[in-house]
Amino acid sequence: MEFTSRNGLTKKAKQKKSWNDRLFDLAVYTIAILMIIMVVYPLWFIVIASFSNPADVTNGNVWFWPKEWELDGYVELFKQEIIWKSYLNTILYTIVGTLIALLVNIPAGYALSRSDLFGKKWISIFILIPMFVSGGLVPTYLVIKGFGLLDSFWVMVLPFAVSSFNIIITRTFFKNSIPETLWEAAQMDGCGTIRYFLTMVLPLSKAILAVIGLWTAVGIWNSWFNALIYISNEDLQPLQLVLRRILISNESLLGAASGEIASELRRLSEMMKYAAIVVSTAPIMLLYPFLQKYFNQGVMVGSIKE
């Protein structure tokens, strides 16, 4: 005969449940740790490879720590004076471009979330069209040239600031997160549309601001194709394009060299390749932890069905 405890469960059932819970927790933690390793280890390997001899990396002698610390890749990379100028260009493009994108996309998304917007349906269709149909590279180039933006700072931040995807994500966030009653209460207190948006809506929208800002910043930071097409002035080129040109130049020199010179160039080229990856991604990797809590809150807003 089994005696039940005060919570209605037998002692045997409680033990069985406790064991199952521990087994489940162990499985969850194991999977989580494996996923973390799968994500973190490739990044860590790039970092240690940038400080290692390429021969050790090729032969599989580098796993978790450099066999011998070498800084030749970073030294050779930063000897290129254009690196510092391009780094500053990329930082300016990212900051200014992100601010402009937020200034354009956030108000547009809020306007579309309002039920009293005149012609809301047709405006939404007009915004959705570029998500499926593009004008193409040549017409875009001709338009940018017609506006006199070629070889200018603004060609990297103005023509591509509007994003239909970001506007739709922002609209969904405002529609599902900002109650209509808040606007009604603000109207009763004599608050206008602009004041309401600036003083009440934006402070409640840190999550979507962080998400759109991070997406835009990462996109601009990694952008090199637009600069390749629209910028020929080396003083205006971003970091990604300059790094690409340096690596291609090294490959060309390597093909023309022979003997010990070719061996040394190959070693430096491999080290510079890893160093370039670290240099180009480090700022974004350092920025992400500060925005992670907002990113986690807002990243799923686009999946909410209206």
Side-chain angles (χ1 to χ4, degrees), residues 27-45:
V28 170
Y29 285 127
T30 301
I31 295 173
I33 291 172
L34 290 175
M35 292 180 66
I36 291 173
I37 293 174
M38 291 173 61
V39 172
V40 173
Y41 180 73
L43 302 176
W44 175 244
F45 181 80

Side-chain angles (χ1 to χ4, degrees), residues 62-270:
V62 176
W63 288 91
F64 299 103
W65 201 254
K67 190 175 181 180
E68 294 180 4
W69 288 85
E70 297 188 15
L71 299 174
D72 294 351
Y74 290 96
V75 172
E76 291 297 323
L77 185 64
F78 288 120
K79 276 184 180 178
Q80 312 288 332
E81 295 182 1
I82 192 64
I83 285 289
W84 302 105
K85 179 64 176 178
S86 65
Y87 222 123
L88 178 60
N89 289 340
T90 298
I91 293 173
L92 292 176
Y93 290 146
T94 302
I95 294 175
V96 176
T98 301
L99 291 176
I100 292 177
L102 291 174
L103 187 64
V104 172
N105 295 311
I106 298 298
Y110 170 71
L112 286 177
S113 70
R114 294 286 297 269
S115 58
D116 56 347
L117 176 66
F118 178 77
K120 175 180 176 180
K121 179 180 178 181
W122 296 106
I123 295 175
S124 298
I125 294 174
F126 181 77
I127 291 176
L128 282 172
I129 290 175
M131 293 183 66
F132 304 99
V133 180
S134 172
L137 181 60
V138 174
T140 303
Y141 181 89
L142 294 176
V143 170
I144 291 176
K145 182 179 179 181
F147 278 98
L149 294 176
L150 290 180
D151 266 343
S152 70
F153 174 89
W154 300 106
V155 75
M156 293 294 292
V157 296
L158 283 181
F160 311 99
V162 178
S163 169
S164 299
F165 178 78
N166 289 342
I167 291 176
I168 299 302
I169 292 291
T170 306
R171 181 200 65 178
T172 305
F173 174 85
F174 285 132
K175 193 168 185 178
N176 291 279
S177 302
I178 308 298
E180 192 70 23
T181 53
L182 186 63
W183 164 240
E184 296 174 358
Q187 279 184 308
M188 294 179 63
D189 292 335
C191 186
T193 303
I194 297 178
R195 182 183 174 188
Y196 169 72
F197 175 72
L198 295 176
T199 61
M200 301 186 71
V201 174
L202 287 183
L204 297 174
S205 308
K206 293 179 180 178
I208 195 63
L209 290 173
V211 171
I212 300 302
L214 184 61
W215 283 348
T216 304
V218 171
I220 296 175
W221 185 273
N222 292 329
S223 176
W224 62 272
F225 184 74
N226 290 338
L228 178 66
I229 299 299
Y230 305 116
I231 296 180
S232 58
N233 187 348
E234 291 187 358
D235 292 335
L236 293 174
Q237 291 179 347
L239 176 66
Q240 309 294 344
L241 185 59
V242 170
L243 291 177
R244 175 181 177 272
R245 191 172 71 243
I246 291 174
L247 295 177
I248 292 176
S249 176
N250 287 344
E251 292 294 331
S252 300
L253 291 175
L254 183 60
S258 61
E260 293 183 1
I261 297 177
S263 178
E264 180 64 15
L265 284 176
R266 185 177 293 106
R267 186 182 73 88
L268 290 176
S269 178
E270 288 298 317

